[in-house]
Amino acid sequence: MYDYLVVGSGLFGAVFAHEAKKAGKSVLVVDRRPHIAGNVYTDKIEGINVHKYGAHIFHTNNRQVWEYITQFAEFNRFTNSPVANYKGELFSLPFNMYTFNKMWGVVTPEEAMARIEEQRREIAGEPRNLEEQAISLVGRDIYEKLIKGYTEKQWGRDCRELPAFIIKRLPVRLTFDNNYFNALYQGIPVGGYTKLVANLLKGIEVRLNTDYLADKAALDALAGKVVYTGPIDAYFDYRLGTLEYRSVRFENELLDKSNYQGNAAVNYTDRETPWTRIIEHKWFEFGKDEAGNDLPKTIISREYSSEWKPGDEPYYPVNDEQNGRLYAEYKELAEAEQKVIFGGRLGEYKYYDMDQVIAAALACCERELS
C-alpha cells in the first residue's frame, strides 16, 4: 500500500516523510503519542506555546539546514541567554565577562584570565573524572558554584564518579556576550514547533495513538520499507540488554501574573534545589501572542532530571563506554535488517541537536531517494 512506513513524527521522521512524498513516494507516518512533532511538540495554552518536552531552541551554523527548515516556518530572533541561580546569586551564562565580574569583581579580560589560570593549576596531569576536568578548564570557583550541583542533579551521580569526557570543553568567553549558542542562525518558529512539523507533514497520512512495536507485523505488511525513529533496543525487544538514558520530569504551573522570572531559562546550580532549571515559556516569543499583544498570564515548567526506567520517556543517551559497546552490537543487528532504516536520536542512540537531526534526515533521504 505504501512505499514507506515512517515510525515517529519527530523532526527526523517528518523530514524524511516530506522528502519521500516530494520524490513521488507514498508514505504513512505512525506515532504512539496522541500528537505529532515528537519531543519538539508545543501546545498552545492561554496563548502561550508551551514546550511540552523541554525547551527547544533552534540554532545552527549549517546554512543548508537553516534554508531548508525556514521553508516551513518563520523564525523569530530569540537568542538563548540563560541565567544561573546559585543560592540566590545570579550569574550570566555562558561563562563570560559578566560572569567573571560577578564572581571575582574583575573588569578586564586579563584579570579574568589570570584568575582562571591561577585556579586551573590545582589539577596536575590528566584529569581522572568530571570534577578534575572542569577545574582544569575553568577553575574551582566556577566549578563549585555553576557546574557541580547542576551536573550532579542532571546525571544523578557525584562529579567524581562521572567520566572526564562528559565535559570535554567549557566555553570561556573573555567578552561581554550572553549569546549561549553563538550560532550564525538561531530562533524559535513563530506559532510553535507543532505548526512547523504540521507543515512538513502536509498532505501525508498520519496515524496517531498507534504503537508500532505492539502491532509490528501488521504495520510492516503495509509498506515496502520502514523508517524507524524509536529506541533501537526496543525494536529488537531488548535482546542484548537495555541501553541507558536520562529522563526528565516536568512540573508545569499556570500563573495569574505576567512575569515570573524575566527570562526564558534560569538554571538552578546548587545541589539543594531539587529542579535543574525553570523555563518560562512566554519569553521564547518575547511575552507576546502572534498578533503582538502582551500576554497577561505566564506558564513555568520546573525540570527534574531522573534515571530512565521502562515506561519513562527517554531523553539523553548515556554515552559512556559500556553503552557505546552495547549500541555497537545493536547497530550490527540494525545493519542486517534489509527493509528498515534506523534514524534520529533514539534510533541511532545519539545526542543530537535539532539541526543535526535535520541534517542526518536529509543525508538519509539523499542516500535512499536519489
Side-chain angles (χ1 to χ4, degrees):
M1 284 175 65
Y2 302 92
D3 295 312
Y4 291 97
L5 170 70
V6 176
V7 180
S9 63
L11 284 173
F12 191 100
V15 167
F16 186 94
H18 179 87
E19 292 301 302
K21 179 177 182 287
K22 199 165 81 175
K25 307 296 183 183
S26 54
V27 185
L28 170 64
V29 176
V30 298
D31 202 299
R32 64 178 176 78
R33 288 172 171 168
H35 59 73
I36 60 167
N39 278 10
V40 302
Y41 172 70
T42 47
D43 187 17
K44 186 160 279 193
I45 302 169
E46 296 283 344
I48 300 164
N49 289 306
V50 176
H51 296 219
K52 293 291 278 190
Y53 300 94
H56 284 81
I57 300 150
F58 196 89
H59 57 98
T60 188
N61 288 311
N62 186 326
R63 185 172 177 173
Q64 181 197 0
V65 165
W66 180 251
E67 288 178 349
Y68 179 82
I69 205 62
T70 51
Q71 298 174 87
F72 305 100
E74 178 190 350
F75 278 67
N76 70 19
R77 55 176 179 80
F78 179 83
T79 300
N80 190 28
S81 302
V83 170
N85 183 322
Y86 177 79
K87 300 182 178 180
E89 284 185 275
L90 301 180
F91 295 89
S92 293
L93 294 176
F95 310 135
N96 64 54
M97 286 302 298
Y98 290 114
T99 320
F100 308 140
N101 175 262
K102 180 70 183 280
M103 187 75 69
W104 300 308
V106 297
V107 294
T108 68
E110 289 82 2
E111 289 174 306
M113 204 61 231
R115 278 296 185 103
I116 292 167
E117 289 293 346
E118 179 191 328
Q119 294 193 7
R120 284 166 61 168
R121 291 193 205 112
E122 179 187 329
I123 305 301
E126 194 65 28
R128 295 166 298 176
N129 53 49
L130 188 146
E131 175 170 290
E132 291 187 1
Q133 178 74 28
I135 293 169
S136 74
L137 291 169
V138 293
R140 181 164 288 277
D141 287 347
I142 290 172
Y143 166 71
E144 291 285 350
K145 285 192 171 184
L146 303 181
I147 298 169
K148 179 176 163 62
Y150 187 87
T151 304
E152 290 181 349
K153 287 187 288 190
Q154 205 169 31
W155 291 97
R157 293 163 177 81
D158 189 287
C159 283
R160 285 165 292 193
E161 295 170 16
L162 290 166
F165 73 78
I166 288 177
I167 294 184
K168 291 174 187 164
R169 54 192 169 84
L170 287 164
V172 173
R173 293 189 193 156
L174 298 173
T175 58
F176 291 90
D177 181 8
N178 289 335
N179 182 346
Y180 191 84
F181 294 121
N182 214 19
L184 283 173
Y185 312 103
Q186 54 188 310
I188 304 280
V190 175
Y193 285 96
T194 306
K195 186 176 173 182
L196 181 154
V197 174
N199 287 335
L200 275 163
L201 294 173
K202 197 169 281 180
I204 295 168
E205 186 182 346
V206 179
R207 296 183 194 173
L208 301 175
N209 299 302
T210 301
D211 188 337
Y212 168 74
L213 294 176
D215 201 14
K216 187 173 176 301
L219 288 165
D220 282 349
L222 296 177
K225 256 187 161 177
V226 174
V227 176
Y228 176 79
T229 68
I232 189 169
D233 53 350
Y235 180 90
F236 294 105
D237 200 23
Y238 307 104
R239 74 174 76 153
L240 304 175
T242 305
L243 289 163
E244 290 182 285
Y245 296 89
R246 292 295 292 171
S247 194
V248 184
R249 178 173 65 83
F250 302 98
E251 201 176 74
N252 302 316
E253 201 176 343
L254 172 64
L255 301 171
D256 197 11
K257 58 168 71 175
S258 63
N259 192 350
Y260 176 76
Q261 63 186 18
N263 204 48
V266 176
N267 293 4
Y268 285 77
T269 59
D270 62 280
R271 192 69 183 85
E272 294 73 25
T273 303
W275 52 84
T276 52
R277 64 179 177 174
I278 296 179
I279 300 301
E280 189 169 5
H281 300 267
K282 70 189 300 182
W283 300 123
F284 290 129
E285 297 179 66
F286 312 110
K288 297 183 183 296
D289 64 18
E290 285 179 64
N293 303 309
D294 289 333
L295 291 159
K297 296 184 181 181
T298 195
I299 294 170
I300 62 166
S301 297
R302 294 180 183 86
E303 295 187 11
Y304 299 81
S305 186
S306 62
E307 292 284 349
W308 176 85
K309 58 186 186 300
D312 291 345
E313 199 59 53
Y315 281 86
Y316 308 111
V318 180
N319 291 133
D320 58 14
E321 287 176 27
Q322 179 187 329
N323 284 290
R325 283 194 300 271
L326 181 55
Y327 169 66
E329 291 179 44
Y330 274 120
K331 192 178 179 198
E332 270 188 53
L333 291 179
E335 284 165 354
E337 293 280 317
Q338 297 291 307
K339 294 184 175 180
V340 186
I341 297 164
F342 292 79
R345 180 177 51 92
L346 302 178
E348 297 176 60
Y349 194 65
K350 199 169 191 177
Y351 182 85
Y352 270 134
D353 284 329
M354 287 181 284
D355 65 323
Q356 294 169 317
V357 173
I358 293 163
L362 291 172
C364 176
C365 292
E366 202 168 311
R367 291 191 301 270
E368 180 66 21
L369 301 169
S370 57

